[in-house]
């Protein structure tokens, strides 16, 4: 009950944040490309930001609109980029802001830098997608291993240990408590490993912990039903 009560809200929060960050990451190459195209056609970077803010379909619409609003209020474009990076909070954006700021010191035409950022972002997305597809196999293996562990535990409790307990040679309650507690600890550790391998962060494994804990609860209920029958 504690694992599920504490884990489910946290898992929802983490999943939501990860989804937003992923949407921002996927939208960044298009944003840099839009800015680069506008600047290459003779716009200033400030006008290019205002032009990019008109794209209502972009997941970065809110952040770009904030940039455009700051520029209209008289803020320097370089400062608005820094504020944009602080709101998005992604390392590639921080590096991009440094590159654009340094390019502005030498020329108003920063389109080459923007196009290079767009291309780098596109390649990073392809690499991340390939890595995510490859690592998803390891998450599946972890789930399979947990299922095998529960299966073996079920066989031990319903066949071997139950028979031994009937003959009075061992304490069935003590052994079942140990095995079921170990299965719950296995769910927690396997969930963290699945999150780290599949999505790169242990915190992302909280949702896997919740799923495995639910499986564990169903498993325990199934054992009780077997005992009653």
């Amino acid at each position: 009950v504690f694992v599920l009560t504490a884990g489910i809200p946290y898992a929802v929060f983490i999943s939501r944040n990860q989804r937003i960050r992923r949407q921002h990451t996927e939208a960044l190459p298009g944003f840099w490309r839009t800015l680069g195209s506008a600047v290459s056609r003779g716009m200033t970077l400030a006008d290019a930001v205002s032009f990019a803010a008109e794209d209502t379909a972009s997941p970065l619409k809110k952040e770009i609109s904030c940039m455009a609003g700051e520029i209209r209020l008289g803020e320097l474009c370089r400062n608005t980029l820094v504020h944009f990076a602080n709101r998005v909070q992604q390392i590639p954006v921080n590096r991009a802001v440094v590159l654009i700021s340094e390019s502005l010191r030498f020329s108003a035409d920063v389109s080459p830098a923007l196009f290079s950022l767009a291309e780098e972002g596109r390649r990073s997305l392809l690499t991340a997608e390939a890595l995510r597809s490859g690592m998803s196999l390891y998450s599946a293996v972890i789930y399979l291993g947990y299922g095998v562990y529960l299966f073996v535990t079920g066989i031990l409790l319903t066949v071997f240990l139950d028979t031994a307990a009937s003959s009075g040679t061992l304490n069935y309650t003590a052994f079942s408590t140990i095995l079921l507690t170990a299965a719950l600890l296995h769910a927690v550790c396997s969930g963290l490993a699945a999150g780290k391998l599949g999505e790169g962060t242990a915190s992302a494994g909280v949702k896997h912990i919740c799923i495995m804990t639910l499986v564990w609860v169903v498993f325990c209920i199934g054992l009780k039903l077997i005992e009653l029958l």
Side-chain angles (χ1 to χ4, degrees):
V1 170
F2 170 77
V3 171
L4 293 177
T5 303
I8 291 178
Y10 183 75
V12 171
F13 174 76
I14 290 295
S15 298
R16 178 179 177 275
N17 282 352
Q18 287 183 332
R19 185 179 70 255
I20 293 174
R21 289 177 64 86
R22 189 178 300 117
Q23 290 174 348
H24 286 175
T25 301
E26 293 172 352
L28 279 171
F31 174 53
W32 301 134
R33 192 176 297 106
T34 300
L35 292 182
S37 299
V39 172
S40 65
R41 291 198 299 267
M43 287 187 182
T44 64
L45 184 57
D47 292 336
V49 170
S50 299
F51 173 75
E54 298 176 1
D55 183 8
T56 57
S58 174
L60 290 168
K61 166 68 176 176
K62 179 180 178 181
E63 310 302 335
I64 301 173
S65 298
C66 287
M67 292 177 64
E70 290 177 354
I71 291 173
R72 285 195 298 269
L73 292 174
E75 185 66 87
L76 294 176
C77 191
R78 188 177 304 173
N79 293 337
T80 63
L81 287 171
V82 174
H83 299 161
F84 171 73
N86 292 336
R87 289 193 300 270
V88 176
Q89 294 185 349
Q90 293 194 29
I91 293 177
V93 179
N94 295 335
R95 291 200 299 260
V97 168
V98 173
L99 176 61
I100 296 171
S101 298
E102 290 300 315
S103 300
L104 284 172
R105 293 176 57 187
F106 301 100
S107 173
D109 184 10
V110 293
S111 57
L114 292 168
F115 284 132
S116 66
L117 288 172
E119 181 62 20
E120 179 188 0
R122 186 187 67 83
R123 292 179 180 178
S124 298
L125 286 177
L126 293 176
T127 303
E129 182 62 30
L131 180 62
R132 190 159 47 245
S133 298
M135 297 305 290
S136 61
L137 177 63
Y138 292 95
S139 298
V141 170
I142 289 174
Y143 273 93
L144 180 62
Y146 184 63
V148 171
Y149 184 87
L150 289 181
F151 176 76
V152 173
T153 300
I155 295 297
L156 286 174
L157 291 176
T158 57
V159 179
F160 296 103
L161 295 182
D162 188 43
T163 303
S166 300
S167 61
T169 58
L170 60 81
N171 188 334
Y172 178 83
T173 302
F175 273 91
S176 64
T177 301
I178 292 172
L179 289 175
L180 292 177
T181 303
L184 182 58
L185 292 176
H186 190 177
V188 174
C189 297
S190 296
L192 293 175
K196 183 64 176 178
L197 291 175
E199 300 174 51
T201 59
S203 59
V206 176
K207 62 182 177 183
H208 298 290
I209 293 175
C210 294
I211 294 173
M212 292 184 181
T213 302
L214 286 173
V215 173
W216 179 83
V217 170
V218 173
F219 175 75
C220 292
I221 293 174
L223 287 178
K224 282 294 182 181
L225 291 177
I226 292 175
E227 289 179 10
L228 294 175
L229 295 176

